[in-house]
Amino acid sequence: MKKNLIHIIKFLIFFSISCFLFWYVYRGQNTSELIFTLKNEVNYYWILLSLFFGLLSHISRTIRWNMLIESLGKKPRTINTFLAVMVGYFANLALPRMGEISRCGLISKYENISFSKLIGTVVLERVLDIIMLIIFLLIALSTQFSVISHFFSNNPEVSSKLSNVFASANTLYVIVAVSILIWILRKKFKNTVVFKKIDQTLSNFMAGFRAIKKLDNKWSFVFHTVFIWIMYYLMTYICFFSFGFTSNLPAIAGLTVFVMGSFGMVAPVQGGIGAWHFMVIGTLLIYLPEVANIETMSKSFALVVHGAQTAMIIILGAASVIALPIANRKQVKLIKSKI
């Protein structure tokens, strides 16, 4: 009961932040102008194509995660991994970073794989995602530095918050300190039940994190890592063709908008709601200051693109929640028989 209450409080806090950010971005917006733009100036076929690229990225992430799990000596069913990944995205709409825990819990439950090992593989995935984001950022900086610097000069509060995110190492310090303390005291407490449990969990976690060393096909793994992020980029860039005012922007502008939007997704809010919109709108305003009614058009772009992507996650995520127990009927019966 207490645990559920904590989850509810967390959800309400993050949801309130999302609502505030969304309100802040769209405050003062003429609703009739926005609705007119959404009805008459959007080619939704391009939006659907962007969702197809999004689906490809999810499938590729499924394959990549399966490769990591298989390197641990396990063979999870691909359908289970895909459904767990989609449930994970769905869970992130409720609580930021809840998705990583959720998908590991589901695979652990249905495939009987160590939860801590799975967490190790997901942490490894996140490290690789950060590396890919940095690579895309460096490309954007090397070609569009003036645009990015202009954005941060116009929004110094964003620059300050991002600096705090990257500069803050408190969590890392705590992890390192605890690890050192455990290592120092290991001989004294190594025979206690609690220490053995912690030691086993850490060992499993590190086994999952080191899974990349045991991959059978490292080049295939690299391909999927790059492919996932190219699909992410195309999800944003292909939407440029759905609006007349962005259709002539070059591909590198799409990369810049994608990178800036990715920073919005880092914000501790459900699905980047509000934060993603703010970053994308601000970047488009810099690229197209001469366009008539540019603010309304940019807000329409952000609303449609983020809304479509979120709708896909909700639909596929909800369907996956239903499909998982159906696809694992035998396992569900076995679990119930043990209760």
Side-chain angles (χ1 to χ4, degrees):
M1 183 67 181
K2 185 179 179 181
K3 188 176 181 180
N4 290 335
L5 181 60
I6 292 174
H7 284 316
I8 292 172
I9 293 173
K10 286 182 179 179
F11 170 79
L12 291 175
I13 291 173
F14 290 123
F15 184 69
S16 298
I17 295 173
S18 298
C19 290
F20 171 76
L21 289 173
F22 192 80
W23 167 84
Y24 180 80
V25 171
Y26 286 89
R27 73 194 190 286
Q29 173 62 46
N30 188 312
T31 306
S32 59
E33 285 184 1
L34 193 62
I35 293 174
F36 178 85
T37 302
L38 297 178
K39 285 184 176 180
N40 301 286
E41 300 187 29
V42 185
N43 186 335
Y44 287 97
Y45 290 110
W46 291 106
I47 302 298
L48 290 175
L49 180 58
S50 76
L51 297 183
F52 172 70
F53 288 129
L55 180 60
L56 291 179
S57 75
H58 302 325
I59 293 172
S60 186
R61 184 173 289 278
T62 297
I63 296 171
R64 189 182 70 168
W65 194 29
N66 251 9
M67 292 175 68
L68 287 174
I69 298 174
E70 287 173 2
S71 71
L72 298 173
K74 302 295 182 177
K75 291 282 186 179
R77 294 167 61 198
T78 302
I79 184 63
N80 276 347
T81 311
F82 175 76
L83 294 175
V85 166
M86 296 316 303
V87 171
Y89 282 120
F90 188 43
N92 279 336
L93 294 179
L95 283 176
R97 304 280 74 85
M98 177 62 73
E100 284 78 358
I101 304 297
S102 299
R103 63 169 161 134
C104 289
L106 289 169
I107 293 298
S108 178
K109 173 182 177 181
Y110 290 118
E111 296 287 350
N112 194 27
I113 302 173
S114 166
F115 177 78
S116 49
K117 285 184 179 180
L118 291 170
I119 288 292
T121 63
V122 170
V123 171
L124 174 60
E125 279 194 317
R126 285 291 165 260
V127 171
L128 294 172
D129 287 338
I130 291 172
I131 292 173
M132 287 304 302
L133 177 57
I134 291 173
I135 291 172
F136 275 73
L137 173 61
L138 291 175
I139 295 173
L141 282 173
S142 63
T143 58
Q144 305 287 289
F145 181 79
S146 60
V147 174
I148 295 176
S149 60
H150 190 186
F151 176 91
F152 285 114
S153 64
N154 288 346
N155 302 279
E157 72 282 2
V158 176
S159 179
S160 175
K161 289 177 181 178
L162 284 176
S163 297
N164 291 336
V165 169
F166 286 105
S168 177
N170 292 335
T171 302
L172 179 61
Y173 292 152
V174 171
I175 292 174
V176 171
V178 171
S179 299
I180 292 174
L181 183 62
I182 291 174
W183 185 81
I184 293 173
L185 300 176
R186 70 189 189 285
K187 290 183 179 180
K188 186 175 182 179
F189 298 103
K190 66 179 182 179
N191 293 322
T192 63
V193 176
V194 174
F195 185 89
K196 287 180 179 179
K197 184 67 175 177
I198 293 174
D199 185 57
Q200 182 61 48
T201 300
L202 289 175
S203 297
N204 288 338
F205 172 83
M206 291 308 300
F209 190 79
R210 291 193 297 264
I212 194 171
K213 293 183 178 180
K214 300 179 181 179
L215 288 172
D216 292 331
N217 192 337
K218 289 183 172 60
W219 285 113
S220 178
F221 184 83
V222 171
F223 167 79
H224 283 290
T225 298
V226 176
F227 182 81
I228 289 167
W229 279 81
I230 291 176
M231 292 302 103
Y232 285 168
Y233 157 63
L234 288 177
M235 280 181 72
T236 298
Y237 176 58
I238 206 70
C239 292
F240 278 23
F241 300 102
S242 64
F243 289 81
F245 80 106
T246 53
S247 59
N248 293 321
L249 284 174
I252 194 63
L255 179 65
T256 307
V257 171
F258 162 67
V259 169
M260 299 301 282
S262 296
F263 285 123
M265 296 300 290
V266 173
V269 292
Q270 290 96 329
I273 297 173
W276 187 91
H277 298 74
F278 178 83
M279 300 295 285
V280 168
I281 292 168
T283 308
L284 288 174
L285 290 176
I286 295 171
Y287 271 111
L288 300 162
E290 75 285 351
V291 174
N293 209 18
I294 181 59
E295 189 167 350
T296 297
M297 300 298 290
S298 298
K299 289 180 178 180
S300 299
F301 178 90
L303 191 63
V304 170
V305 175
H306 188 274
Q309 294 175 5
T310 302
M312 180 177 73
I313 293 301
I314 292 173
I315 293 171
L316 291 179
S320 297
V321 170
I322 297 171
L324 260 171
I326 296 175
N328 295 273
R329 288 186 292 271
K330 292 182 180 180
Q331 185 68 12
V332 171
K333 290 181 180 179
L334 182 61
I335 293 172
K336 288 183 178 179
S337 67
K338 292 180 179 181
I339 298 177

